[in-house]
Amino acid sequence: MIDARDAITRVHHQEWARVVASLAKRFGDLDIAEEAAAEAFATAVERWPVDGVPPNPGAWLTTTAHRKAIDRIRRESRRDEKHREALMLSDREPPEPLGVIDDDRLRLMFTCAHPALAMEARVALTLRMVGGLTVPEIAAAFLVQEGTIGQRITRAKRKIAAARIPYRVPAARDLPLRISGVLAVLYLIFNEGYLATGPGEDPVRPDLTAEAIRLARLIRTLLPEDGEAAGLLALMLLIEARRPARISPEGELVALGDQDRDAWDRALIEEGHTLVRERLGAGVAPGRYQLLAAINAVHTDARDARATDWSQVLALYDRMVRLDPSPIVALNRAIAIAELRGSQEGLAEIDRLGDALNGYHALHAARAELLRRLGRDGESRTAYDRAIALTGNTAEIAYLARRRDELG
């Protein structure tokens, strides 16, 4: 029953954070909250196609998850005390104060971003619990094995239990200490929506990009002086503006240089440019998200691909490398070098990253394109094959396969 399946997918994105937050507040245990919510959604998958979608799906899921949580507590004799507390809970209890964050999902993000957890652990935990991303999707975002992500999430939960870190909405003074983790989570959620990595997913997931932008706007309101919050919002807006032109009617990814720029959302571009100019005029050294936003501002400012100011793009990546000397930043810098100084020099830069990014499809896709330009068709075909094998995005696979097959 397609309607039920679509409803479950939509409600999952809309209600996951609220259900988990409600259970965590009631039972004081993030592990129970997440597992009970997952069981409730699994029950929905079984029952909604048969029984029909309930009039209030969110309330149905909350009630079902609450019962699942109590059932689990009952089964675990070592949690008798929590069992008694759970049985005493009722909807007549006055709600806890919302604090400074008047949004369930954002509140839970800041709660999970506890500074006692390592940054990678808190980001992975929040992506799983609040973002609703699967372990394979999170692993793809971090470019690590799925088992590694599973271990990070498990260690984070154990640390919460061992250190007795409370499920508590942070006060206003705590937000600056947690903002970097929350921004990292939003950036990765947006990226998963911008170019989905999961097999069987739509190539672009507007629900994820829209939710990430919504939350970024809320953070901008909460922390108006935070430059990176403004930078991330600008970055998202400038990328989202290009979405109408990114997928062809045939379902194939359209490269930036080939996109119909008349189809770009000019209102989002203007809003993004305004934020970039505001941050550049603040007289403060820009951070990572601000520099990425500035790079995207250069791309969206060009009337066509040939008018792109690649010297400015490269200068911005030079600054990025000093802030974030990661292989992915170096790869994007190498692509800018290829556009500005030629394919041979760009390829040499990319080949230096082979060991660090051998499992990253974008490296092989970039190599394939530069080898193609240099007339090295056999090597280009091999690189296309490697890129296709490493990506799960159907639109990107279609694009890469066509480019490969055009080699003759």
Side-chain angles (χ1 to χ4, degrees), residues 185-369:
V185 166
L186 288 183
Y187 179 56
L188 293 174
I189 290 174
F190 182 87
N191 281 348
E192 180 61 28
Y194 167 74
L195 196 66
T197 59
E201 293 283 359
D202 290 336
V204 176
R205 298 173 63 182
D207 56 322
L208 290 184
T209 57
E211 179 66 357
I213 290 173
R214 183 185 75 83
L215 295 173
R217 290 189 187 280
L218 291 177
I219 292 175
R220 171 78 171 143
T221 301
L222 278 171
L223 300 168
E225 302 302 319
D226 190 292
E228 284 293 79
L232 180 58
L233 176 57
L235 173 63
M236 291 178 178
L237 294 173
L238 294 173
I239 295 175
E240 180 70 4
R242 304 198 300 264
R243 180 168 57 84
R246 290 188 62 244
I247 306 295
S248 73
E250 296 75 30
E252 181 179 309
L253 185 72
V254 181
L256 176 60
D258 298 326
Q259 289 176 13
D260 176 8
R261 301 192 174 207
D262 289 337
W264 289 357
D265 189 322
R266 289 294 157 186
L268 291 182
I269 290 174
E270 181 54 37
E271 185 180 359
H273 283 187
T274 299
L275 285 169
V276 170
R277 288 193 297 268
E278 176 185 312
R279 292 312 310 164
L280 292 178
V284 180
R288 178 170 179 262
Y289 298 122
Q290 294 168 76
L291 289 172
L292 286 173
I295 290 167
N296 278 271
V298 175
H299 285 299
T300 51
D301 193 45
R303 64 184 180 277
D304 56 47
R306 292 169 297 179
T308 303
D309 187 347
W310 285 105
S311 61
Q312 190 174 358
V313 171
L314 180 57
L316 289 166
Y317 273 122
D318 286 340
R319 296 185 68 174
M320 271 284 293
V321 167
R322 292 194 289 272
L323 278 180
D324 178 14
S326 68
I328 291 182
V329 173
L331 173 62
N332 286 305
R333 179 179 178 273
I335 294 171
I337 287 174
E339 296 293 341
L340 190 63
R341 302 175 186 167
S343 299
Q344 190 66 55
E345 189 168 341
L347 182 62
E349 293 285 335
I350 289 176
D351 284 344
R352 294 190 185 99
L353 304 170
D355 290 339
L357 295 177
N358 188 49
Y360 185 41
H361 77 280
L363 176 132
H364 300 283
R367 284 193 80 249
E369 180 61 30

Side-chain angles (χ1 to χ4, degrees), residues 2 16 29 32 66 71 79 84 99 105 111 120 175 182 186 203 223 228 230 249 269 275 288 350 369 388:
I2 296 177
W16 173 265
D29 191 312
I32 287 178
H66 184 263
D71 287 344
R79 297 192 178 184
R84 289 192 294 272
R105 180 166 289 193
T111 301
E120 289 183 343
L175 301 188
V182 174
L186 288 183
L223 300 168
E228 284 293 79
I269 290 174
L275 285 169
R288 178 170 179 262
I350 289 176
E369 180 61 30
I388 290 168

Side-chain angles (χ1 to χ4, degrees), residues 174-186:
D174 298 324
L175 301 188
L177 298 175
R178 305 187 183 201
I179 185 63
S180 58
V182 174
L183 293 181
V185 166
L186 288 183

Side-chain angles (χ1 to χ4, degrees), residues 101 107-116 119 122-123 126 165-185 219 223 226:
I101 307 173
R107 198 159 51 245
L108 188 55
M109 282 186 174
F110 272 100
T111 301
C112 291
H114 197 287
M119 178 61 76
R122 70 178 91 155
V123 171
T126 311
I165 297 172
Y167 176 82
R168 181 179 300 139
V169 178
R173 64 179 180 277
D174 298 324
L175 301 188
L177 298 175
R178 305 187 183 201
I179 185 63
S180 58
V182 174
L183 293 181
V185 166
I219 292 175
L223 300 168
D226 190 292

